Amino acid sequence: MNRRNALAQKNYSSAQERDDAEAEKNVAQAELLSARESKQVAKLELAYANAQLGLRVIHSPIDGIVTEQLMYPGKWSKSAVPRLQF
C-alpha cells in the first residue's frame, strides 16, 4: 500500500488504482478474519460433537465378551429383564 501511495503522489499511478488496491486489501483482510472465525467455530462444533458422542457411548466397568444380545436399539425394556449375557 505504501508503494501505491508513493506512486500516486508522484502521479505514476492514478488515485483510482490506489483506491482499488486499498479496497482489495480490505476485502482480503475481511476474508481472512472470516476464515479464522469459521475455523474457530468448526473447532467448537467438533468439541461439542465429541462431547455428545461421549454421552452416548457405554463403557463396561468389567472386561468380558458379549455372547448374546437380548435387546436391540429401539426396544423398550423393563428393569428386571436382562439385556446382555456374558
Side-chain angles (χ1 to χ4, degrees), residues 57-77:
V57 175
I58 299 172
H59 297 279
S60 175
I62 60 171
D63 290 333
I65 298 173
V66 175
T67 59
E68 186 177 0
Q69 184 175 351
L70 305 174
M71 297 286 301
Y72 293 91
K75 287 192 172 185
W76 287 92
S77 172

Side-chain angles (χ1 to χ4, degrees), residues 6-86:
L7 290 173
Q9 286 174 354
K10 294 179 182 180
N11 291 327
Y12 292 128
S13 139
S14 69
Q16 179 66 41
E17 288 176 338
R18 185 192 67 222
D19 292 343
D20 289 346
E22 179 74 27
E24 286 178 23
K25 182 187 92 166
N26 291 340
V27 168
Q29 287 175 338
E31 288 174 350
L32 177 62
L33 179 62
S34 176
R36 286 181 176 161
E37 289 173 349
S38 294
K39 181 181 176 183
Q40 184 64 27
V41 168
K43 282 182 180 181
L44 293 172
E45 287 175 345
L46 176 62
Y48 177 76
N50 284 332
Q52 291 296 313
L53 180 62
L55 296 174
R56 289 169 174 75
V57 175
I58 299 172
H59 297 279
S60 175
I62 60 171
D63 290 333
I65 298 173
V66 175
T67 59
E68 186 177 0
Q69 184 175 351
L70 305 174
M71 297 286 301
Y72 293 91
K75 287 192 172 185
W76 287 92
S77 172
K78 296 180 182 174
S79 62
V81 176
R83 291 160 187 87
L84 298 172
Q85 183 175 342
F86 295 97

